[in-house]
Amino acid sequence: MDIKNKEFMLIGGLLVVVAGLMAFFPSLNDSNSTVDWISIPLVGFPIVISVILLAFASQETRSRKDIIAVPIRLFTLCASLIPLAISTALFFDWLILVDWNLAYNDYALEKEYLWIESIGVSWHVGLDGLSFPMVWLTTFLVPVTIIATWNEKDGATYYPLLLMMGGALIGVFVALDLFLFYIFWELTLIPMFFLILKWGGKDRRYAAQKFFIYTFCASVIMLLGLITLYFLQPEGSGSQYGTVTGRTFDMTVLFSNATAFNMGDNVFLGKDMQNVLFAMLMLGFLVKLPAVPFHTWLPDAHVQAPTGGSMLLAGVMLKMGAYGMLRIPIAIFPDALLYYQDVIMAIGLISLVWGAVVCLGQTNLKKMVAYSSVSHMGVILLGIASMQPIGYAAALFMMFAHGIISPMLFAVCGAFKHHYHSMEIGSMRGMARWSPYLSVYMMFAWMASLGLPLLAGFVAELMVLLAYWPTYGWWILLPGFVLAITAAYYLWSMQRTIFEGGDEGQPPESLNGETPPDITLSENIGMLILAIFTVIFGVFPFIALGMMDQWAVALFEGVFNGGI
Amino acid sequence: MNTEVFSTEFWRAFAPEMVLVVGLIAVFILPNLGNSKFRIPLTKVQVPWFFGGRRFKLTGSPALPGMLGTATLFVAVGMMVIEVIDGKMETTTVTSGDIVLLQIDAFSRFFEIIFLAAILLASMASLDRVPAHTFEGKKTLEEMYDNRRQADLYILMLTTALGMCMVALAQDLFVLFVGLELASLATYVLVAFHKESKAGAEAGVKYFIVGSVASGVGLYGLSLLYLEFGSLQLSTLSASWSDGSILATIALGLVLVGFGFKVSAAPFHFAAPDAYAGANSPVAGILATASKAMGMIGLIRVLLVVALPDTQTDGSAVWLYALATLSVVTMTWGNLAALGSTNPKRMLAYSSVAHAGYMMAALTAVGAWHWGHVEAPADYAEAIVAAILFHLFVLVAFKLGAFLVLGLLEMEGGASRLSALSGLARRDPLIGTAMFIFMLALAGVPPLAGFMSKFLIVAAIVSASIGDQWMGGSISFSDLHWIWWLALAMFLNSAISVFYYLRIGVIMFLEVPEEGRRKPLPYGASIRMAIWICLVATVVLGLSSDTLIEMCYRAAESLNLA
């Protein structure tokens, strides 16, 4: 290690210490001065640190950038482990005793700081049974992604962008103020745009722009819906309310007002307005999910994105749409949700079927996995449409399980591309001969994705089907059958690439006759971690399901006041 | 407080503008101080009269006009900011006899700050864009041109500033027109400043001719108003306005043409892209921000102060449908034309046209009001005007900033093709990131100032479309006033515009710099400082916009609508 690296290690170490202190710094404005575990350690720290690192790294010359990439990579990994440690500790009550037994519209570790007083926006964050699994998932995926893509080129700017992505994503999940929610929702677009643009494949320009513009268009319509909703609130006075407009963007206030109004036979804002606003908000969520027919940005974005980008995109970013759907519509527009129940079910079913059928026709491995993502997201819509507590818990668990499995799928694709220089399914046979580890992980990931029992995906799919029956009866056969089709494409692609090829096997053309290598140690460790957690949540799903079930039951009790 | 023109209170109240005047005179006189002597006739006595002759070393330096002009603008804007910042501003009215000429209140001071800030940043950039070469020794022709024209440039900028201030302060439409023309004539010459280049000369002449025609039409409209009402005082006009008068409506339309040109509304915007592309970037920045704000004042005064119906009546404003159509056409035209543009300055010009469309949509929302039906119509109108003011203010930060980055590129050889921006992020990461942030702010991406301003405008329009109709009960979607669809149009246009803003980012980050631009960007301390100020303002006003929102609301309140 030369002198310069030692400097960086020292500065990096100091920054870690400072960051650690920041993570434990007590909150400033709060009257009972409990430590704010969310704003700085989970959200502020990753974003600020990554911006500082990016400013630092972008000034360096080409050759220096390669030198400083090494300490930056290590530092970013350590920095991403801090939020993971904190969120795990919060779950197990090691740091602070958190009562996760929350009622409807009640949040743990809630903190509120006034921000834009004139319009009633505050930095209001909190966790509950819906957001905490997602937050933990994000804090878990960022270090795993860094490990799995340990050898990415131009690392000095790549790893800080992954960290920034993680911070922005956590911000979406913890936000309890609609304005704040929207800001983080859009903020996630920027690091992903850069990840696809700089480290992407051949058509990255097109894919990055399509991704940004498509989701931005849907988001502004969602924003218009949120603004209209904001002005259809009763005026109030209090610290949360705007001094000029008299209204607030606070989600908790909005939910309690709406729920109180919806008691009896009343419909908050009237049926007509509810349906329109619901459609506008859902447009933003459906495009992000993505649901057919708004899914066309996803295959391009995934195929062109680098491995790390794909892992975070599929693992967490798609769940933002589902999170929005689970959080907002049922609390404010339960009548509109019931009105559109069949439509949502239809969209979910179409996504499921379309994704699966298109998968069968794919020859590009990553595109196939992308369409399988579309298919699985359709399952989430089925859970939501069932309007049962178990359906909501199922949708949430599907988000969680898919969030662990699909990064593994994309890590396998990435390793494939990295070592075989090709992503065509048909280009090789008998990979098991040269890359036993890659083959094992590929088999494992494929089995997890198609829903093999004892792995996390199975629990999610089973729960969704269980929720489906009370609402839709024998229609359950349709998704059940399609889920069987999904097995077909996985098994077909697996059989060809891993096992066929006779004694010699057939390496792809793109290798030019070299001996195909196996995966590197870092890729191995990354995939192993994901595999272990897939098994853990497959065999012991109650670790996560406890919180999710409790949240779903409390939600339905609170919204419908007495349960279904 | 009422003062008579040219009384002592007058001088005290107008101290910032007097600073501008003194600075202007100084830039005229100081560079011309020399050792010339004047011989008294019929005698041999030579009296030194310092105007002319061999210029003194100190005051004859070509760098002096620039420093003086920038310092004057800085002092003037500083004085105004100090006056406005704490919120307790007293209104000063200046009369001559019983005609109210000018009025200093929060609204006019706010606009003056916008104008002076924009011109200040542009003049800081001009210190580098049209530099004064103070080294001894042989200079090339271009360098000699630059030195000779220093005084001209800063005189023109200060004149523009004075004219714009007069527009902001005016309470009589004729005084407003005089100020408008003063500023416009100076800007016509500024656009043609680099007369030796074909683009500059052509742009200047085009802008001059079209601008003069538009001003002529506007003046004709004003004369018809005078014919109808007997006075051009804003208070008299607004008191005696009646929607039934045909002459007044025609006059209003003609005046709209005049101000519409200034704001670059379609279909009066055709000269704008050529003018912005032909002028040098700091001047184009002034056109895009300060000149637009000037036109917007005119529109606000005429449409909102004069031509709104009485609070007791129940109609909407007579100009409602015309303005709504114009605003939608403007937004869409601007965005679609920018999509096809390959010249970054033309693209920014069309984006200016689109932003003018957004602001006109906000103005339409004020006119939609059924004044008789609403309890406190002034509240909705104030919210909308405050949002427009916020937008005009932050436009200075990111639109002028974008033009200044193009100015930096012009300094090394031109910014008339998109390929000039290729690889900018690699050549100079800070400037490249700054440009990208300006583009994101123009597109309306959170958490920047551009998002905040678009959000406030849409929020104001939506609030006006709902009005008082929802009082805790239920409301149907069809109960919303049709101006709600203007908000949707605005957001959809915003989404369209993301494409060309992102395209700049992609070019900067992905492409290889073109031939002849492989070296780092020119140094230019002053222009870089101006870009930094714009960047910091864009980010800070996005994250912590409360102070500015309060200022805008106070300014809107002092307008006393309804």
Side-chain angles (χ1 to χ4, degrees):
Chain A
M1 230 197 287
D2 66 24
I3 306 276
K4 286 293 188 309
N5 268 356
K6 286 211 197 82
E7 276 173 7
F8 279 106
M9 289 304 219
L10 185 60
I11 297 174
L14 278 175
L15 278 175
V16 171
V17 169
V18 166
L21 287 175
M22 263 172 82
F24 287 83
F25 197 83
S27 69
L28 298 169
N29 310 348
D30 210 64
S31 54
N32 55 0
S33 71
T34 52
V35 176
D36 184 351
W37 291 108
I38 304 180
S39 304
I40 294 182
L42 293 181
V43 179
F45 166 63
I47 296 181
V48 168
I49 289 285
S50 58
V51 168
I52 294 176
L53 283 176
L54 282 170
F56 198 28
S58 63
Q59 294 296 310
E60 296 287 347
T61 58
R62 238 330 131 67
S63 49
R64 286 263 297 175
K65 264 195 197 159
D66 293 326
I67 299 178
I68 62 172
V70 173
I72 284 185
R73 177 176 63 189
L74 191 57
F75 177 66
T76 315
L77 180 61
C78 298
S80 63
L81 285 173
I82 293 180
L84 176 60
I86 293 178
S87 60
T88 316
L90 285 174
F91 181 69
F92 287 114
D93 292 338
W94 292 334
L95 274 174
I96 173 177
L97 201 64
V98 180
D99 180 15
W100 288 111
N101 205 1
L102 297 163
Y104 165 67
N105 209 17
D106 200 13
Y107 304 92
L109 302 171
E110 210 176 329
K111 285 285 181 230
E112 186 166 1
Y113 308 108
L114 292 178
W115 180 14
I116 307 177
E117 289 184 29
S118 38
I119 49 181
V121 171
S122 50
W123 177 281
H124 190 180
V125 292
L127 291 170
D128 74 343
L130 169 61
S131 47
F132 182 74
M134 289 294 112
V135 168
W136 185 86
L137 182 65
T138 313
T139 55
F140 169 68
L141 276 180
V142 176
V144 169
T145 307
I146 295 179
I147 293 175
T149 55
W150 194 249
N151 295 311
E152 192 68 48
K153 65 171 166 66
D154 211 352
T157 37
Y158 177 81
Y159 298 104
L161 277 174
L162 287 180
L163 190 60
M164 190 196 283
M165 190 80 205
L169 286 166
I170 296 177
V172 172
F173 294 128
V174 298
L176 286 179
D177 180 297
L178 287 172
F179 190 88
L180 195 62
F181 175 76
Y182 183 77
I183 289 199
F184 278 114
W185 181 275
E186 297 290 7
L187 207 56
T188 55
L189 292 181
I190 299 175
M192 187 52 73
F193 175 74
F194 278 112
L195 281 170
I196 300 179
L197 196 64
K198 267 194 88 176
W199 288 271
K202 233 167 17 92
D203 272 327
R204 54 190 189 273
R205 269 183 84 143
Y206 170 72
Q209 286 176 302
K210 187 173 181 181
F211 156 74
F212 197 106
I213 297 173
Y214 207 128
T215 44
F216 188 83
C217 285
S219 306
V220 287
I221 297 181
M222 179 179 88
L223 179 63
L224 185 58
L226 288 176
I227 294 178
T228 313
L229 181 61
Y230 169 78
F231 280 108
L232 291 172
Q233 298 291 300
E235 288 194 32
S237 58
S239 64
Q240 290 167 321
Y241 288 88
T243 50
V244 171
T245 55
R247 297 180 173 87
T248 177
F249 271 104
D250 199 84
M251 265 193 231
T252 55
V253 170
L254 177 60
F255 291 172
S256 54
N257 281 347
T259 310
F261 197 93
N262 279 322
M263 282 305 112
D265 273 333
N266 298 326
V267 178
F268 182 61
L269 303 180
K271 274 193 81 59
D272 179 43
M273 186 59 98
Q274 264 209 13
N275 289 346
V276 171
L277 286 179
F278 178 77
M280 289 177 78
L281 292 182
M282 281 301 274
L283 185 64
F285 300 139
L286 283 174
V287 168
K288 193 63 111 178
L289 190 62
V292 177
F294 305 116
H295 67 289
T296 49
W297 60 271
L298 187 67
D300 285 305
H302 265 312
V303 172
Q304 303 301 326
T307 313
S310 284
M311 285 169 78
L312 280 179
L313 178 60
V316 194
M317 212 168 151
L318 302 185
K319 316 304 188 291
M320 270 165 48
Y323 169 81
M325 279 192 236
L326 287 173
R327 172 71 83 198
I328 300 179
I330 188 170
I332 316 177
F333 307 127
D335 292 275
L337 199 51
L338 285 169
Y339 182 80
Y340 282 116
Q341 185 180 15
D342 294 330
V343 174
I344 298 177
M345 195 273 289
I347 295 180
L349 212 47
I350 294 175
S351 294
L352 179 57
V353 174
W354 185 293
V357 170
V358 174
C359 251
L360 280 173
Q362 294 303 318
T363 53
N364 182 318
L365 197 65
K366 215 165 179 189
K367 220 168 190 178
M368 191 190 87
V369 176
Y371 277 109
S372 87
S373 269
V374 173
S375 188
H376 286 292
M377 293 294 122
V379 172
I380 295 181
L381 277 175
L382 290 179
I384 295 177
S386 68
M387 288 297 276
Q388 306 279 329
I390 189 172
Y392 269 57
L396 183 50
F397 193 78
M398 180 53 142
M399 284 159 63
F400 190 76
H402 187 262
I404 301 181
I405 295 172
S406 73
M408 188 159 59
L409 289 167
F410 283 105
V412 166
C413 291
F416 220 85
K417 169 112 199 185
H418 192 201
H419 297 291
Y420 287 86
H421 306 300
S422 155
M423 290 231 263
E424 294 300 311
I425 299 179
S427 68
M428 70 188 78
R429 304 272 190 280
M431 190 178 65
R433 255 160 224 85
W434 315 293
S435 313
Y437 277 107
L438 183 55
S439 312
V440 165
Y441 285 120
M442 185 171 175
M443 251 188 76
F444 188 89
W446 265 223
M447 291 300 179
S449 186
L450 64 86
L452 193 70
L454 286 191
L455 300 176
F458 172 69
V459 179
E461 286 173 6
L462 180 66
M463 279 177 72
V464 169
L465 292 177
L466 282 177
Y468 203 76
W469 168 257
T471 322
Y472 287 105
W474 288 106
W475 281 99
I476 197 178
L477 286 177
L478 194 50
F481 183 65
V482 174
L483 286 171
I485 295 183
T486 67
Y489 55 79
Y490 280 127
L491 290 172
W492 173 78
S493 60
M494 227 169 37
Q495 184 206 7
R496 294 195 87 186
T497 48
I498 304 180
F499 295 112
E500 272 185 14
D503 286 325
E504 292 294 309
Q506 181 193 318
E509 302 283 306
S510 41
L511 269 184
N512 297 327
E514 301 167 10
T515 321
D518 203 352
I519 52 178
T520 64
L521 179 66
S522 54
E523 286 168 344
N524 203 333
I525 295 179
M527 292 190 228
L528 181 66
I529 297 176
L530 288 171
I532 290 176
F533 275 89
T534 311
V535 172
I536 290 179
F537 286 109
V539 175
F540 310 111
F542 48 81
I543 300 177
L545 268 180
M547 190 184 276
M548 298 179 187
D549 282 334
Q550 202 258 329
W551 163 75
V553 169
L555 176 70
F556 275 76
E557 271 180 12
V559 172
F560 296 105
N561 205 20
I564 299 248
Chain B
M1 174 175 68
N2 248 9
T3 56
E4 192 58 30
V5 149
F6 300 137
S7 60
T8 36
E9 289 102 14
F10 174 84
W11 297 116
R12 205 164 344 151
F14 280 90
E17 287 83 358
M18 289 306 124
V19 167
L20 284 177
V21 172
V22 165
L24 183 57
I25 296 176
V27 177
F28 260 115
I29 293 187
L30 284 183
N32 286 315
L33 293 179
N35 63 1
S36 86
K37 292 185 173 41
F38 165 73
R39 189 174 73 86
I40 299 178
L42 302 181
T43 64
K44 282 225 182 74
V45 177
Q46 298 264 21
V47 176
W49 126 284
F50 296 99
F51 205 67
R54 175 184 283 275
R55 305 290 192 268
F56 295 142
K57 256 308 161 54
L58 191 64
T59 59
S61 154
L64 182 71
M67 297 293 161
L68 202 53
T70 313
T72 312
L73 286 165
F74 182 72
V75 169
V77 78
M79 288 170 76
M80 288 187 192
V81 169
I82 292 176
E83 198 180 331
V84 174
I85 196 86
D86 60 1
K88 295 186 284 294
M89 234 204 87
E90 59 163 57
T91 307
T92 310
T93 318
V94 175
T95 53
S96 160
D98 55 358
I99 301 181
V100 178
L101 291 176
L102 309 166
Q103 179 169 312
I104 305 179
D105 53 21
F107 182 77
S108 44
R109 276 289 185 246
F110 186 83
F111 268 99
E112 288 183 295
I113 292 177
I114 292 181
F115 298 144
L116 291 181
I119 300 182
L120 172 64
L121 287 168
S123 100
M124 277 170 72
S126 298
L127 290 176
D128 284 318
R129 174 68 183 87
V130 186
H133 307 275
T134 50
F135 55 86
E136 296 288 332
K138 209 150 171 40
K139 301 184 175 60
T140 65
L141 189 63
E142 286 80 29
E143 287 167 351
M144 286 198 283
Y145 264 146
D146 280 345
N147 281 358
R148 289 283 290 214
R149 294 187 299 193
Q150 288 294 306
D152 299 338
L153 180 64
Y154 293 97
I155 288 173
L156 286 168
M157 289 218 182
L158 286 172
T159 312
T160 314
L162 264 176
M164 289 179 172
C165 287
M166 201 154 142
V167 170
L169 295 165
Q171 285 291 310
D172 184 301
L173 283 177
F174 193 70
V175 176
L176 192 146
F177 186 77
V178 171
L180 192 72
E181 281 305 294
L182 184 62
S184 304
L185 286 171
T187 45
Y188 301 150
V189 183
L190 278 174
V191 167
F193 198 71
H194 294 276
K195 59 183 188 286
E196 69 278 6
S197 84
K198 259 181 41 187
E202 182 185 333
V205 172
K206 244 186 225 176
Y207 195 53
F208 173 50
I209 292 179
V210 179
S212 307
V213 169
S215 294
V217 170
L219 187 58
Y220 186 50
L222 287 181
S223 66
L224 287 180
L225 275 180
Y226 186 76
L227 183 62
E228 173 79 12
F229 296 109
S231 147
L232 284 176
Q233 288 273 285
L234 281 179
S235 45
T236 319
L237 287 177
S238 74
S240 48
W241 179 268
S242 77
D243 284 346
S245 156
I246 302 278
L247 195 59
T249 316
I250 295 178
L252 191 62
L254 293 174
V255 171
L256 251 182
V257 170
F259 288 127
F261 163 78
K262 265 276 158 294
V263 168
S264 67
F268 319 117
H269 70 286
F270 288 99
D274 291 311
Y276 290 34
N280 66 18
S281 291
V283 168
I286 294 180
L287 287 180
T289 51
S291 202
K292 203 175 290 297
M294 187 167 69
M296 207 39 96
I297 283 200
L299 281 179
I300 290 179
R301 295 275 194 214
V302 168
L303 293 176
L304 299 190
V305 176
V306 170
L308 274 182
D310 202 353
T311 17
Q312 263 57 42
T313 64
D314 187 26
S316 38
V318 66
W319 41 263
L320 178 65
Y321 291 97
L323 196 63
T325 324
L326 274 184
S327 70
V328 173
V329 169
T330 306
M331 304 182 199
T332 320
W333 194 325
N335 279 320
L336 291 180
L339 284 178
S341 206
T342 53
N343 178 339
K345 282 164 79 177
R346 275 187 100 84
M347 195 201 82
L348 282 178
Y350 280 119
S351 119
S352 269
V353 171
H355 278 274
Y358 303 150
M359 288 188 274
M360 281 162 64
L363 281 179
T364 316
V366 179
W369 211 245
H370 297 284
W371 293 100
H373 270 177
V374 173
E375 206 177 282
D379 286 346
Y380 296 102
E382 271 165 24
I384 298 175
V385 174
I388 298 178
L389 295 187
F390 188 93
H391 193 65
L392 284 169
F393 192 97
V394 293
L395 264 182
V396 173
F398 42 83
K399 181 140 257 151
L400 191 60
F403 273 110
L404 292 185
V405 172
L406 290 179
L408 203 50
L409 285 169
E410 272 179 355
M411 279 166 68
E412 65 164 6
S416 51
R417 288 186 319 277
L418 275 178
S419 53
L421 287 161
S422 296
L424 190 61
R426 211 169 306 160
R427 296 172 65 197
D428 192 329
L430 275 171
I431 299 286
T433 315
M435 187 66 166
F436 190 63
I437 289 184
F438 293 143
M439 291 296 118
L440 287 179
L442 281 166
V445 175
L448 302 168
F451 167 70
M452 205 62 219
S453 67
K454 278 216 175 98
F455 174 83
L456 285 173
I457 290 182
V458 168
I461 295 179
V462 168
S463 140
S465 74
I466 295 174
D468 285 351
Q469 289 177 72
W470 186 81
M471 281 299 166
S474 65
I475 179 175
S476 163
F477 185 68
S478 43
D479 286 339
L480 294 180
H481 196 284
W482 55 259
I483 53 172
W484 187 90
W485 294 96
L486 284 177
L488 184 63
M490 208 179 120
F491 265 152
L492 288 178
N493 270 293
S494 228
I496 297 177
S497 69
V498 172
F499 176 68
Y500 55 85
Y501 293 127
L502 268 191
R503 184 171 59 187
I504 300 261
V506 169
I507 292 176
M508 284 196 302
F509 283 98
L510 211 51
E511 307 247 334
V512 174
E514 58 176 10
E515 278 304 318
R517 288 188 202 258
R518 300 285 162 81
K519 309 187 311 299
L521 284 176
Y523 181 54
S526 186
I527 192 172
R528 276 172 193 262
M529 185 154 68
I531 294 177
W532 260 104
I533 293 175
C534 292
L535 180 64
V536 168
T538 308
V539 175
V540 167
L541 287 174
L543 292 176
S544 141
S545 42
D546 246 343
T547 329
L548 186 59
I549 295 181
E550 294 283 323
M551 257 174 77
C552 296
Y553 263 92
R554 281 198 296 276
E557 269 166 14
S558 71
L559 200 52
N560 275 332
L561 291 173

